[in-house]
Amino acid sequence: MKIAQRLWITLLITLLTCSATVTRAADLATVLTEVKAVAGQTDTLYSHFTQEKHLDIMAETLLSQGLFAYRKPDHLRWELLTPIASGFVLRGQQGERWNGLSRELERFSVDRDPLMGMIAQQLLAWARVDLDWLQQRYVMELVSEQPLQLKLTPRDAGEAGFIDHLEIFFAADRRYVEQVVLVEKSGDSTRLRFTDVKVNGSLPDDIFAAPGF
Amino acid sequence: MKLFQTCYEKLARRRGRLLLPVLLLLGLALAWLPQLRIGDSIVAMLPDGNSQVARDFGLLQKTPFSRKLVIQLQAAKTVSTADLVAATDQLGQRLPAELFTHLQSGPGDMGKLALLNDLGKYLAVLATKQDLQTIAERLTPEQVDRQMAENLGKLLQPQGVALKEQIRRDPLNLTPLALQKLLYLNPLPGVRIEQGHFISADRRSSLILADTPVLMTDAAGARRLVDAFQQAAAQLPAGISASLLSGHPYTLANTEIIKADMGRVLLVSGIGLLALFLIFLRRRQALSVFLLPFASMLLALVVTSWWYPQLSGITVGFGAVLLGITIDYGLHVYFALCRSNDGRGARLQAVARPLLFGGLTTLVAFAVLLRSELPGQRQLAVFAVTGILVALLLALFVLPQLVGAAVTRPELRKGYRRPLFERHPKLRWTVLGVWLASMIFCAVGAQQLRINGELRRLSYVPPALAQAEQQLAAHWGNMRGRAMIFAAGADLQRALQRNEEVWQRLGRHQLQDQVVSLAPLYPPLALQQQRQLHWHNFWAEKQPVADELLVQAGAKYGFTANAFAPFDQFLNTDPGPLDLAVLQSWGLGDLLGNFIFQDGSEFQVLTLLPDRPELIAVLDGEFADLSGVTLVSQSHFGRQLSRAIAGDFSSFIATAGIVVLILLIVLFRKLADVLLAVLPVLSGLLFMFGWMGWLGVEMNLFNVVASILIIGLGVDYGIFMTCHSRQPQDLGSGQAILVSGLTTLVGFGALVVARHPALYSIGITVLLGICAAVPTAVLVIPAFRPKRW
C-alpha cells in the first residue's frame, strides 16, 4: 500500500512539474514577444550606471560609475567616470577607446579586435533588446514575470568557460534593461544598475565621439 | 678550278636527276615536320648552366608568390564595405574550382584564431635580447604602477570579465611582445581585416588570392582561366568590378597581340614583296628565288630538331625570320644569270666566289652564337648555320637550273651598266660627304645607347592590365614587385638558421621594419633553445624584483597579495618548441606555404623586401659572403641579364669581327678591299646604334639577335660590291643588293608596325641597319672606288 501511495505521489509530482515547465515555456515565449514589441520602438538610450564588481583577486568590492548611450543601429558609448576615467565609443565597425589615467586614445575595429567585437555585439544586443540573437547564444529562463527577470546561460562553450549565467532585470514598462548581474564560473560577479534612463531622447553626434586628450 | 661552271653545264643536261632528289628530300622534310616539338617558354632566351641569372630565374619560377593569382575587387564610393565583402565571397564561389584553387579572401574570423590566445605562451622562445631589455626597463616602480592602473581600468571595462585571467597570468602585459612578431609576416602592406576579409585602407578594394594548376606559359590554359574569371566577374553587382593579375593575362595578351601583329605584318610585307617582284623581277622563273628561303628553313628545322629534341618557339620564329637572309643568295645568282644568255656558266662561277664568302661570313657570325650563354641563341646558331649551308647549295647548284633564259633588253641594260658616278661625277663627293656626316652624327648618338635586360620590357602590357597593376600597388603596396631573399638549407632547420642570419644582417641596416620575414615568428630550434635559456636566466634574476613590485603596486590598486600567482607559473612553464605543427594549428598553414617551400631536396625560406635599386645594391654586397643565401630582384635580375647580354654581345661582336676580318683578308688579300667590304656592316651597325641612342630605344635580347642579321647582310653587301668593283663582268650586284635590301626591309622592317615590343624592336633594328647598309654598299663603296670599264 505504501509503495502504491508513493508511486501515486511521484506520478502526481512529475505531472505537476511537467505542467509547470510547459506553462513556463509558453510564458517565456509570450513575454519575449511582448518585450520585442515594446523594445523594438527604442531608437536611443541614455543612462547613468553603477557597477559593482565582486572579484576574488580584489581585496574589496570595486565600485564604479559611468554613463551609457546607444543610438540605433550601431552607435555606442560606454564610459566609466570613476574611479578611472575610461571607456569606448563605437560607430559601426570602428571605434576609439581611452584611458584617462594614461591619457591614451586608441582606435580599434571590431574586425581586428575580436574581444571588442564580442563586447560591442553584446552591448548592442542588450540595448536593442535583440532577443533573437540572445536566444541563439543563451538558454533563457523566465525567473519572474513582474517585474520581468530572465536568467541566461551561455550556449557557446568558450563563453561558458568563464561565465556561469546572467540575470537580467527589465524596467517595469519592459522598454529597457534596468539591472544586469553577471556570475562567473569562479564565483566572481558583476552587478550593473542603470539609472536616469532616457528612452528616445535626442542624442547629438558628439556623444559618440571620444574625448580629446 | 671552275667547279660551279662545270657543275652547271653538266647538270643543265640532266636537270631531272638533280631536281628529283631535291624534291624527294624536301618531301621527306615536310613529312618530318609534324614530329617537331616546339616549346614557347621565355626560358630559352635566358642564360642557362650555372650562371647566376639562370639560378635566379629558376628560384623566381619556384616561389609560391610568383604562381599566385591576385584578384582585386574595386568598389564605387556608393558601395558599402559589407556589400564589397559579400561580392568578394560571391565571386569566390563563382570561380571554377578546377582552375582556381586555395582561394583566400582573408584570414577568416580573427576571434576564432587560437594564435592570438596562445602566441604569448611562447614568449620564452620568441623573446630577443632586445625584448628582454624592454622587459627589464618595465620593471621599475613607476612602470609597474602605471601597468597596474591599466589592469584595473581593463577589469572595470565590460571586457574585464574575459581579460581577468590574462591579467593575472601576464600583469606586466608582456604578450604584445610576442604578438608583434606577427607584424613582420604581413605580405600585404596596405591591408585591413574587416569581417574576416582583406580590405584596403580606403575600404574601396578587397582581395582574393588563389593558386591555379594552369602553367603561366600555357596560352590555351590562360585563355580558359581568363574567360572563367571574366564570366564570374560579369555577375558582380553594379558598382563593383574585378581584375585578375598574374602571369596568365600577360601570356594571353602577348599571344593575341603577336597573332594580330603577324597578320598585319604579313599583309604589309606580302604587299611589299609582291610590289618588289612586279617592279624588279616580273618573271615566273623568278619565283624560284622566293622559294629558296622556305626550302632552306624546312631542311634547317629538321636538322636542328635532331640536335635539340625540343625547339624553342622563339628560336624557330626568329630563325625563320633570319633565314630570310638567304633570299639574297638567290637574287645574286638570278641577277647574274639574267644579264645575258651568253657565258652563264662563267657568270655563275664569277658570282659563286662572293656568294661563298658572303655565306661563309654570315655562317661564321651565326656560329659564334654557339658559345652563347642563352640556350635559345645556341639553337638559333645550329638552325641558321644549317639553313645557310642548305641555301648556298641550293643557290649554286639547283637555282641556276630553274632561272630560265635571260630577257635581254639592250637599251635598258646599257643604262644600267653605265655607272652612276660616271654619269654624275659631282654626286660622288656629295654621297661621301652625306655618309661621313651621317656616321659622325650616329657615332654621337651611339654613346647614349643603353642595354636593358628587363624581361617585362619585352612583353606587351595592355593598358587595362597596367591600370590594374597600378591600382593594386596603390591599394595594397607593391606586393607583386618585391625583391626576395632565399635562404636555403638541406633541411628546414638549416634553412631557418640561414633565414635568421639574413634577418640579423637586415637589422644591421635598420631594414627589419621594411621587410616581410618569418624569422621573428619562427626562429630555428637551436635559437629557440638559446632564447629559452636566456629567458630563464633573466627571470631567475628578475622574478623576485618583479614579484615585489607587483605586490606593492597591486596593493595600491586593491589587488590581493596572491592576485598574480599565475604570473610565476607563466614565467617558469616550458612552452615546448615552436614548430610547423604548432604554427599550422594556429591557422597559419597557408601563410607559411608562401614563405617556406621545397626546391628539390633543399628547403627554401623566403624574405620579401622593397625592390629599390640602392637597397639591393647594398644588400647584394651584404649577402655575398653568406652561402646558401640568394638575393633576387626584378631590377637586380634585369641588371644581371643586361650584363649577360652585354657580355654575350661584346664577345659575339669581337669574335665575329675577327673571323669575318680573317675571311675578308683571305678573300681580298688587300687592305683597301677589306676596308671597303666592311663599310656596309660598320655603317649599318653605327647607324642602328646611333639612331637607337637618339630615339631612346634600348638594346634588348631581341635587338642583339637582330643585329646578327645586319652583320650577316652588311658583310655580304660589302663582299659583293667589292668583288663587283674588281670584276670585269656585270653581275648585277648593285641591283641584287638593292632588291635584297628592299626585300629585307619589307620582310623584317615591316615589324615596326607591330605593337608587341619584341617584334617592334626587331623591326626597328633591321629597319635602321639595312637603311644604312644598302646605300653604303650601292653608293658609298662605288663612290670610294668607281667601276671602270
Side-chain angles (χ1 to χ4, degrees):
Chain A
M1 185 65 190
K2 273 187 179 175
I3 293 172
Q5 200 175 6
R6 276 182 192 170
L7 274 173
W8 173 244
I9 293 165
T10 310
L11 186 64
L12 192 67
I13 291 169
T14 310
L15 283 171
L16 283 171
T17 315
C18 288
S19 159
T21 311
V22 171
T23 313
R24 282 278 199 227
D27 289 350
L28 179 65
T30 315
V31 166
L32 292 182
T33 310
E34 284 170 18
V35 169
K36 254 192 226 177
V38 177
Q41 296 162 12
T42 306
D43 290 333
T44 65
L45 269 178
Y46 184 87
S47 80
H48 287 89
F49 66 81
T50 54
Q51 181 178 255
E52 284 172 31
K53 274 189 175 279
H54 303 273
L55 304 179
D56 197 32
I57 58 169
M58 303 306 291
E60 293 174 7
T61 301
L62 282 174
L63 285 172
S64 47
Q65 291 186 324
L67 60 88
F68 172 78
Y70 158 75
R71 189 170 76 189
K72 208 174 176 178
D74 52 14
H75 280 42
L76 279 179
R77 182 184 188 98
W78 173 276
E79 183 176 17
L80 283 184
L81 300 169
T82 62
I84 295 172
S86 58
F88 68 89
V89 286
L90 182 78
R91 297 175 299 278
Q93 302 283 309
Q94 312 297 320
E96 289 109 35
R97 60 181 158 222
W98 65 91
N99 186 324
L101 205 69
S102 57
R103 302 187 70 75
E104 280 175 3
L105 183 72
E106 186 189 5
R107 289 177 189 280
F108 69 89
S109 150
V110 293
D111 285 311
R112 300 188 79 168
D113 188 332
L115 186 57
M116 283 309 292
M118 196 176 81
I119 298 297
Q121 214 170 17
Q122 287 273 356
L123 288 173
L124 282 170
W126 288 114
R128 294 170 186 151
V129 195
D130 185 350
L131 293 170
D132 292 336
W133 185 85
L134 290 167
Q135 275 184 305
Q136 280 174 14
R137 297 193 63 93
Y138 300 97
V139 176
M140 288 194 184
E141 286 176 63
L142 183 62
V143 180
S144 150
E145 207 168 328
Q146 202 58 256
L148 178 59
Q149 185 187 346
L150 300 175
K151 182 181 175 187
L152 281 68
T153 312
R155 292 180 197 270
D156 178 68
E159 201 175 331
F162 55 94
I163 294 176
D164 187 74
H165 69 271
L166 291 128
E167 289 164 26
I168 313 295
F169 300 82
F170 281 81
D173 60 3
R174 295 179 176 179
R175 293 184 73 183
Y176 57 90
V177 175
E178 204 172 52
Q179 200 179 136
V180 177
V181 178
L182 187 151
V183 182
E184 297 176 43
K185 285 276 185 205
S186 61
D188 289 352
S189 65
T190 304
R191 180 181 294 270
L192 277 163
R193 282 197 189 89
F194 295 91
T195 52
D196 306 327
V197 180
K198 289 177 187 144
V199 180
N200 291 342
S202 169
L203 291 183
D205 282 347
D206 57 4
I207 291 273
F208 302 99
F213 287 110
Chain B
M1 190 177 139
K2 294 179 176 176
L3 172 71
F4 299 102
Q5 185 176 351
T6 315
C7 282
Y8 171 74
E9 284 160 3
K10 281 188 177 172
L11 289 169
R13 292 191 293 271
R14 302 179 185 86
R15 208 177 284 180
R17 285 190 190 179
L18 169 73
L19 295 180
L20 203 66
V22 171
L23 287 173
L24 194 67
L25 192 67
L26 291 174
L28 285 173
L30 215 55
W32 177 267
L33 273 188
Q35 296 186 43
L36 283 183
R37 284 174 50 222
I38 297 176
D40 55 3
S41 171
I42 188 78
V43 179
M45 294 311 277
L46 299 173
D48 61 355
N50 288 321
S51 70
Q52 187 63 43
V53 181
R55 285 200 299 275
D56 286 2
F57 188 74
L59 281 173
L60 275 174
Q61 290 286 89
K62 285 170 191 156
T63 56
F65 285 109
S66 71
R67 295 196 299 268
K68 279 271 180 239
L69 304 176
V70 179
I71 296 168
Q72 186 187 211
L73 285 93
Q74 192 79 25
K77 284 183 181 170
T78 49
V79 178
S80 70
T81 311
D83 288 344
L84 176 62
V85 166
T88 308
D89 289 340
Q90 277 169 16
L91 181 64
Q93 284 158 11
R94 286 187 183 126
L95 294 170
E98 68 276 11
L99 292 173
F100 296 82
T101 57
H102 302 112
L103 261 65
Q104 202 187 355
S105 56
D109 187 351
M110 297 287 281
K112 287 182 182 157
L113 291 182
L115 159 80
L116 297 178
N117 297 322
D118 291 353
L119 189 57
K121 295 175 188 165
Y122 286 87
L123 194 54
V125 297
L126 291 174
T128 60
K129 284 182 182 169
Q130 201 183 345
D131 291 331
L132 294 180
Q133 180 65 32
T134 307
I135 295 171
E137 285 164 10
R138 286 189 197 172
L139 294 176
T140 62
E142 296 77 25
Q143 293 274 350
V144 175
D145 184 273
R146 182 188 157 105
Q147 187 57 50
M148 213 43 68
E150 273 185 31
N151 289 342
L152 180 62
K154 282 182 191 168
L155 277 178
L156 290 171
Q157 290 295 326
Q159 63 268 39
V161 177
L163 293 175
K164 189 176 67 182
E165 284 310 311
Q166 193 188 323
I167 290 169
R168 296 188 71 195
R169 194 178 66 237
D170 182 17
L172 296 173
N173 199 27
L174 305 180
T175 304
L177 290 173
L179 292 175
Q180 273 172 12
K181 313 295 175 193
L182 283 172
L183 296 178
Y184 298 101
L185 204 57
N186 178 11
L188 303 168
V191 76
R192 298 163 71 107
I193 308 296
E194 290 198 20
Q195 298 170 49
H197 289 66
F198 301 129
I199 300 290
S200 63
D202 66 356
R203 308 177 78 198
R204 301 257 66 84
S205 185
S206 67
L207 267 192
I208 301 177
L209 304 175
D211 294 325
T212 181
V214 178
L215 292 175
M216 224 174 281
T217 49
D218 174 6
R223 174 84 272 168
R224 286 199 309 278
L225 190 83
V226 171
D227 282 351
F229 168 75
Q230 284 173 346
Q231 210 174 336
Q235 297 175 55
L236 284 169
I240 300 177
S241 60
S243 50
L244 169 68
L245 287 166
S246 74
H248 304 86
Y250 286 95
T251 302
L252 192 61
N254 277 271
T255 308
E256 287 181 348
I257 198 80
I258 285 174
K259 273 185 196 164
D261 276 348
M262 289 321 286
R264 198 163 49 238
V265 168
L266 283 176
L267 183 72
V268 170
S269 61
I271 292 171
L273 285 173
L274 187 69
L276 287 176
F277 180 80
L278 293 174
I279 295 167
F280 293 99
L281 303 168
R282 276 184 282 175
R283 293 180 63 219
R284 188 165 43 84
Q285 290 90 336
L287 280 174
S288 54
V289 175
F290 285 91
L291 290 177
L292 191 126
F294 294 106
S296 326
M297 193 177 76
L298 183 65
L299 292 169
L301 264 180
V302 173
V303 173
T304 316
S305 71
W306 293 342
W307 213 299
Y308 297 100
Q310 170 141 0
L311 290 179
S312 155
I314 299 168
T315 306
V316 173
F318 213 3
V321 169
L322 287 180
L323 278 185
I325 200 173
T326 55
I327 198 170
D328 295 6
Y329 307 151
L331 284 169
H332 282 288
V333 169
Y334 177 81
F335 280 112
L337 298 189
C338 281
R339 295 274 134 190
S340 158
N341 285 324
D342 305 328
R344 294 182 94 187
R347 285 172 179 282
L348 181 67
Q349 185 65 43
V351 85
R353 187 179 162 83
L355 203 66
L356 275 177
F357 272 88
L360 203 60
T361 50
T362 312
L363 196 136
V364 166
F366 277 113
V368 170
L369 283 183
L370 282 169
R371 288 174 51 227
S372 170
E373 282 193 32
L374 279 57
Q377 288 197 347
R378 293 197 299 272
Q379 279 189 16
L380 186 65
V382 174
F383 186 51
V385 165
T386 317
I388 287 165
L389 278 175
V390 171
L392 279 175
L393 290 172
L394 291 175
L396 289 168
F397 294 102
V398 181
L399 186 66
Q401 307 301 332
L402 303 172
V403 166
V407 181
T408 48
R409 282 182 286 176
E411 337 69 52
L412 269 178
R413 246 179 49 218
K414 197 177 173 186
Y416 273 129
R417 288 175 77 169
R418 196 164 157 238
L420 179 70
F421 298 125
E422 215 171 87
R423 284 179 275 148
H424 310 286
K426 283 183 185 168
L427 191 63
R428 187 182 165 202
W429 297 107
T430 312
V431 165
L432 287 175
V434 170
W435 173 78
L436 194 64
S438 152
M439 288 303 109
I440 292 168
F441 176 75
C442 291
V444 177
Q447 311 291 316
Q448 298 166 42
L449 181 67
R450 296 279 173 272
I451 293 179
N452 193 330
E454 208 180 314
L455 290 174
R456 282 192 167 202
R457 296 286 181 99
L458 302 179
S459 294
Y460 169 69
V461 182
L465 266 182
Q467 196 188 352
E469 289 275 12
Q470 280 172 2
Q471 282 177 348
L472 188 78
H475 285 123
W476 307 94
N478 192 10
M479 60 186 281
R480 274 168 55 81
R482 274 184 286 196
M484 287 174 248
I485 302 171
F486 296 82
D491 52 51
L492 179 59
Q493 286 307 316
R494 278 181 228 189
L496 287 171
Q497 191 67 50
R498 287 205 170 108
N499 190 48
E500 178 62 29
E501 181 66 30
V502 168
W503 174 251
Q504 295 303 331
R505 292 199 183 195
L506 287 168
R508 286 186 208 166
H509 296 274
Q510 283 84 44
L511 289 170
Q512 288 177 339
D513 287 339
Q514 296 182 44
V515 306
V516 184
S517 171
L518 197 57
L521 183 70
Y522 191 12
L525 283 177
L527 183 62
Q528 289 186 33
Q529 286 161 1
Q530 198 185 346
R531 283 180 177 168
Q532 196 162 14
L533 191 66
H534 289 155
W535 176 266
H536 285 306
N537 292 341
F538 176 85
W539 285 110
E541 184 193 334
K542 303 285 184 187
Q543 196 172 341
V545 182
D547 284 347
E548 195 183 329
L549 287 169
L550 285 172
V551 169
Q552 282 174 6
K556 180 180 167 189
Y557 289 95
F559 288 95
T560 57
N562 69 344
F564 305 115
F567 178 56
D568 291 348
Q569 201 185 340
F570 162 65
L571 294 182
N572 297 306
T573 302
D574 177 4
L578 181 57
D579 55 20
L580 265 183
V582 173
L583 292 165
Q584 281 165 346
S585 74
W586 290 340
L588 294 177
D590 284 346
L591 190 62
L592 288 179
N594 290 326
F595 290 91
I596 300 174
F597 67 97
Q598 234 176 321
D599 177 17
S601 59
E602 274 195 331
F603 278 83
Q604 296 276 3
V605 181
L606 264 182
T607 298
L608 306 178
L609 65 156
D611 195 354
R612 295 201 303 269
E614 74 284 359
L615 191 70
I616 302 302
V618 171
L619 293 181
D620 209 18
E622 179 66 53
F623 296 126
D625 66 323
L626 205 55
S627 75
V629 171
T630 314
L631 170 63
V632 182
S633 84
Q634 293 289 349
S635 61
H636 187 61
F637 182 71
R639 280 199 301 280
Q640 279 181 321
L641 197 55
S642 298
R643 276 202 291 271
I645 296 168
D648 239 24
F649 192 51
S650 310
S651 142
F652 162 71
I653 292 277
T655 317
I658 291 167
V659 176
V660 165
L661 214 58
I662 290 169
L663 284 171
L664 291 177
I665 291 167
V666 170
L667 173 67
F668 293 116
R669 295 186 195 120
K670 271 177 74 181
L671 182 64
D673 286 357
V674 171
L675 289 176
L676 272 187
V678 295
L679 266 191
V681 65
L682 291 181
S683 307
L685 288 175
L686 194 59
F687 193 80
M688 182 180 93
F689 294 149
W691 274 104
M692 282 174 78
W694 285 119
L695 296 172
V697 179
E698 291 170 325
M699 198 83 180
N700 61 41
L701 279 167
F702 291 96
N703 296 133
V704 170
V705 189
S707 303
I708 301 165
L709 187 69
I710 309 300
I711 294 172
L713 285 172
V715 171
D716 287 358
Y717 298 161
I719 290 172
F720 278 108
M721 286 310 289
T722 310
C723 282
H724 178 76
S725 72
R726 286 163 36 132
Q727 278 170 334
Q729 299 109 313
D730 175 15
L731 299 173
S733 297
Q735 196 181 4
I737 288 169
L738 185 66
V739 177
S740 73
L742 289 172
T743 55
T744 308
L745 281 182
V746 298
F748 316 132
L751 289 173
V752 287
V753 301
R755 286 165 65 199
H756 193 278
L759 296 178
Y760 171 80
S761 63
I762 297 168
I764 192 83
T765 314
V766 173
L767 188 74
L768 291 171
I770 297 297
C771 270
V774 170
T776 306
V778 298
L779 293 172
V780 179
I781 291 180
F784 272 112
R785 183 184 283 164
K787 187 160 177 136
R788 309 275 176 225
W789 302 97

